[in-house]
Amino acid sequence: MQDKKTSSPAELPTLPKAPTGIEGLDEITEGGLPKGRPTLICGSAGCGKTLMGIEFLVRGALEFGEPGVLMAFEETAEELTANVTSLGFDLPALQEQKLLRVDHVHVDRSEIEETGEYDLEGLFIRLGYAIDSIGAKRVVLDTIESLFGGFPNEAVLRSEIRRLFRWLKDRGVTTVITAERGDGTLTRQGLEEYVSDCVILLDNRVIDQITTRRLRVVKYRGSTHGTNEYPYLISEEGISVLPVTSLKLEHEVSDQIVSSGVPALDEMFGRKGFYQGSSILLTGTAGTAKTTLAAAFANQIASQNKRCLYFAFEESPQQLVRNMRSVGVDLAPWIEQGLLHIEASRPTLNGLERHLVVIHKLVKELKPDAVVIDPISNLINVGNVNEVRSMLTRLIDFLKVNNITALFTALISGRTNQLDATEEGVSSLVDTWISVRDLEGVGERNRGLSILKSRGMSHSNQVREFVVTDHGIQLLDVVIGPTGIVTGASRLTQQLQEQAQELALRQELERKDRELERRRRVLEATIANLRTEFESVEEELRQINSEELTRHQTFTEGRTAAVSEMSGRGAPGHNTKSNNQ
């Protein structure tokens, strides 16, 4: 018993899955649909069940090398081909390449006589032949109600449905079965969801006159999966599912710095700009130059030979270019060079998810280095706050994963004093939050800018007044008055007062300099007089010393001469006396 080894979770075999190739769906199902097992896709009319099944076959044939069989019970092959042509799916070409087989089975319920011996042998033979003819790995049955809708005997119904699902499992084909939504149940019969290994529910709802399609994985035997409702779209490129919470925070980050386009604003950040791939939120009341700051950022990106994608929800491209040219920001050259793409539309033109898909599509096509959305607050008109927050959360994650620097502007209502909160509730999601606001003075309104947060770097805590000039945005130096920071006319008054004080101080210093110079000259004159007196006394003393020295020398010489003379007189007499003796 002790020698028996238990397998670790990493060694246990995982459930084989067949990737659908549908954007987002494989992420939610963590790899795709259960391979070799039936999956039920159910929903009401118009939610895209048939389109999802066909895309599952087309993607499988083109991207994963798995041929498929489409067996339709309601629409003919010609009708199906015409319906999916708008999505870019060429079913005839796939049939010629033996990658797809489309078979229409006509079931007339009025001709069916219910008996206890009713079975699906004919369907099995026909479906088996279609599978073997192209070596199909995938099968789509659309829809199951056409087969069993005319049989009220629940016992027969349950037996034949179970038999159908067992036959598909035995064939080892990955099957998608579409079914109509029932009244209080997932399907009309209320049985299919119990025998299916995977159940996907599609929903098409209208809220405030805006249509939104949502997908939910009801069950998935043998595998974990996303359990939330996920919006999805049907566009010209097929079905796109937009996960809400499946994205993981595992994206790479960059230490590169991106300029804001306003040099003085860059100086307020410890790293002199934004981190590349970060998200920046610019909030303020109406008329606080949010769009001008956003355009300056886009202009800076394009000037570095990088691409910028600009979404404008309030102005047309022509109006935006004209308005920005008046403040020294010329966007037209970058548009002509293809470095700046402006996508302008009213938010109410599309639902939130449609806007998100458009952003995804343009990002994949243009591969921009930066994205500007001006403003995100207009999206409130399309959905409620929770939906907008969900959409922006997915957008921010998507841009971060692709290392794209994102700048969002948002309008804050001036009716409330809560200027540090956004109606969209995304301030906590972004990396940098810049607030622009009105600074009301005596009879005037000025603009002020401050940085509320900037993750990963130090930043200034000052509220800087700024002006919009013909040469762009200029941040003014901070002027502090007796009661604090002053702006506008008070700034000019304070500057005049400071200039007057500076002038008076300069004049006082000049006066003191002149007084000092005068005293220096007086001192120098006094020193000169003293020096002259000293020189006179020195000269007089030198003269006296010279005369005294001369007298001393004369006296000495005279004395010496006298001594010599007296010595000469005494010598001869002495000699005479000696001689007389």
Side-chain angles (χ1 to χ4, degrees):
M1 294 291 292
Q2 296 179 351
D3 295 337
K4 210 174 201 179
K5 294 183 180 179
T6 59
S7 299
S8 63
E11 297 173 348
L12 295 175
T14 58
L15 181 70
K17 296 186 178 182
T20 64
I22 299 175
E23 182 179 3
L25 182 56
D26 290 338
E27 187 176 0
I28 295 170
T29 57
E30 300 184 4
L33 305 182
K35 192 170 186 178
R37 299 186 181 186
T39 295
L40 180 68
I41 298 180
C42 52
S44 56
C47 61
K49 302 183 296 296
T50 302
L51 292 179
M52 182 171 287
I54 293 177
E55 185 166 356
F56 168 71
L57 293 179
V58 173
R59 301 291 183 193
L62 296 177
E63 300 176 12
F64 307 107
E66 294 187 356
V69 172
L70 171 61
M71 181 162 286
F73 303 109
E74 292 183 345
E75 297 177 277
T76 64
E78 292 76 14
E79 292 172 340
L80 290 171
T81 300
N83 292 342
V84 300
T85 300
S86 60
L87 304 180
F89 299 153
D90 190 353
L91 300 188
L94 293 175
Q95 294 182 74
E96 292 179 1
Q97 301 172 25
K98 301 297 183 181
L99 294 176
L100 178 67
R101 184 181 179 91
V102 181
D103 194 1
H104 171 64
V105 178
H106 175 69
V107 179
D108 192 346
R109 297 179 181 178
S110 62
E111 298 178 357
I112 298 177
E113 180 180 357
E114 182 183 0
T115 63
E117 298 178 355
Y118 170 78
D119 57 41
L120 300 175
E121 285 298 333
L123 175 66
F124 293 159
I125 294 174
R126 189 164 179 173
L127 184 56
Y129 173 77
I131 293 174
D132 296 336
S133 63
I134 60 172
K137 302 295 183 181
R138 302 186 177 201
V139 171
V140 171
L141 301 180
D142 181 46
T143 62
I144 198 171
E145 279 77 20
S146 300
L147 282 177
F148 303 108
F151 299 94
N153 190 323
E154 185 175 335
V156 175
L157 202 59
R158 182 181 293 271
S159 173
E160 292 303 310
I161 289 177
R162 289 183 179 276
R163 186 181 175 202
L164 172 63
F165 279 62
R166 173 50 57 190
W167 184 89
L168 293 170
K169 282 187 177 182
D170 293 340
R171 292 295 305 226
V173 291
T174 306
T175 308
V176 168
I177 301 172
T178 65
E180 297 176 2
R181 185 76 178 269
D183 185 11
T185 58
L186 295 180
T187 61
R188 290 282 184 87
Q189 313 302 331
L191 302 174
E192 299 91 325
E193 57 264 36
Y194 295 101
V195 295
S196 300
D197 288 79
C198 178
V199 178
I200 298 176
L201 175 63
L202 305 183
D203 184 28
N204 186 17
R205 66 188 68 168
V206 179
I207 302 176
D208 294 333
Q209 302 180 0
I210 297 175
T211 301
T212 303
R213 293 183 172 94
R214 297 187 180 275
L215 175 148
R216 180 166 66 95
V217 180
V218 177
K219 79 171 185 179
Y220 199 136
R221 288 174 179 164
S223 174
T224 58
H225 57 86
T227 57
N228 295 330
E229 280 193 331
Y230 303 95
Y232 69 97
L233 290 175
I234 300 176
S235 64
E236 60 274 7
E237 296 181 354
I239 294 178
S240 299
V241 184
L242 308 173
V244 178
T245 58
S246 57
L247 288 174
K248 298 181 180 179
L249 297 177
E250 298 176 349
H251 55 271
E252 299 292 333
V253 296
S254 173
D255 290 330
Q256 299 297 321
I257 298 299
V258 178
S259 172
S260 66
V262 181
L265 177 57
D266 292 341
E267 293 297 325
M268 297 180 68
F269 292 93
R271 295 291 304 275
K272 312 303 180 186
F274 313 128
Y275 282 119
Q276 180 180 334
S278 63
S279 54
I280 303 100
L281 178 64
L282 186 61
T283 62
T285 54
T288 50
K290 299 184 297 297
T291 299
T292 304
L293 286 166
F297 172 72
N299 181 71
Q300 177 67 25
I301 295 295
S303 65
Q304 297 176 351
N305 202 31
K306 297 180 180 179
R307 289 190 178 92
C308 181
L309 180 58
Y310 195 113
F311 290 91
F313 291 146
E314 293 182 337
E315 298 176 276
S316 66
Q318 295 78 8
Q319 182 180 357
L320 182 64
V321 170
R322 182 203 64 187
N323 294 347
M324 293 303 105
R325 188 182 292 116
S326 66
V327 295
V329 179
D330 191 2
L331 302 177
W334 312 128
I335 297 176
E336 295 174 358
Q337 297 177 29
L339 296 175
L340 176 62
H341 179 83
I342 301 178
E343 185 74 14
S345 64
R346 288 293 182 187
T348 52
L349 177 63
N350 299 309
L352 288 175
E353 311 309 329
R354 180 67 180 178
H355 282 296
L356 187 56
V357 167
V358 170
I359 294 174
H360 278 226
K361 178 182 177 182
L362 290 177
V363 165
K364 291 180 180 179
E365 291 179 358
L366 301 177
K367 294 181 172 39
D369 298 279
V371 169
V372 177
I373 300 182
D374 177 38
I376 59 174
S377 48
N378 280 21
L379 297 174
I380 291 292
N381 298 327
V382 184
N384 58 43
V385 174
N386 292 332
E387 291 175 341
V388 173
R389 180 182 174 87
S390 173
M391 178 262 196
L392 293 175
T393 300
R394 283 172 282 150
L395 176 59
I396 291 173
D397 287 340
F398 170 72
L399 296 176
K400 280 182 176 291
V401 168
N402 289 274
N403 196 31
I404 297 175
T405 308
L407 188 145
F408 309 99
T409 69
L411 176 67
I412 293 180
S413 175
R415 296 189 301 270
T416 62
N417 294 325
Q418 298 178 353
L419 297 182
D420 292 341
T422 58
E423 294 179 352
E424 300 77 26
V426 297
S427 56
S428 62
L429 302 176
V430 298
D431 301 305
T432 300
W433 185 6
I434 302 174
S435 174
V436 287
R437 65 187 68 179
D438 288 324
L439 303 176
E440 295 188 4
V442 180
E444 63 179 6
R445 300 177 67 184
N446 303 290
R447 298 183 178 100
L449 181 149
S450 61
I451 302 173
L452 300 182
K453 78 170 184 177
S454 184
R455 291 171 177 164
M457 68 173 69
S458 60
H459 54 86
S460 172
N461 63 349
Q462 292 180 334
V463 179
R464 297 284 298 274
E465 183 184 1
F466 70 94
V467 293
V468 181
T469 68
D470 295 339
H471 305 288
I473 290 179
Q474 295 182 0
L475 270 66
L476 305 179
D477 294 332
V478 176
V479 176
I480 301 177
T483 60
I485 297 177
V486 293
T487 61
S490 300
R491 165 192 284 273
L492 296 178
T493 302
Q494 181 69 22
Q495 289 178 342
L496 291 175
Q497 292 177 354
E498 291 178 354
Q499 291 174 1
Q501 293 175 357
E502 184 179 355
L503 178 60
L505 178 61
R506 186 166 59 250
Q507 291 175 347
E508 179 65 19
L509 292 176
E510 291 176 354
R511 188 190 65 80
K512 290 183 178 181
D513 288 341
R514 291 194 298 271
E515 178 67 18
L516 182 62
E517 180 64 20
R518 185 185 65 79
R519 291 188 178 186
R520 185 183 63 78
R521 290 197 299 267
V522 171
L523 179 61
E524 288 179 351
T526 303
I527 292 173
N529 291 334
L530 292 174
R531 184 178 288 112
T532 302
E533 292 179 4
F534 176 78
E535 289 176 352
S536 298
V537 172
E538 185 182 26
E539 181 64 25
E540 182 179 354
L541 291 175
R542 190 180 291 112
Q543 183 66 29
I544 294 173
N545 290 337
S546 179
E547 291 175 356
E548 187 68 27
L549 181 61
T550 301
R551 284 196 302 269
H552 179 72
Q553 290 178 351
T554 302
F555 174 77
T556 303
E557 289 176 356
R559 184 178 179 183
T560 303
V563 172
S564 300
E565 184 179 355
M566 291 178 62
S567 299
R569 290 178 180 177
H574 178 75
N575 293 337
T576 302
K577 185 177 181 180
S578 300
N579 292 334
N580 290 332
Q581 292 179 355

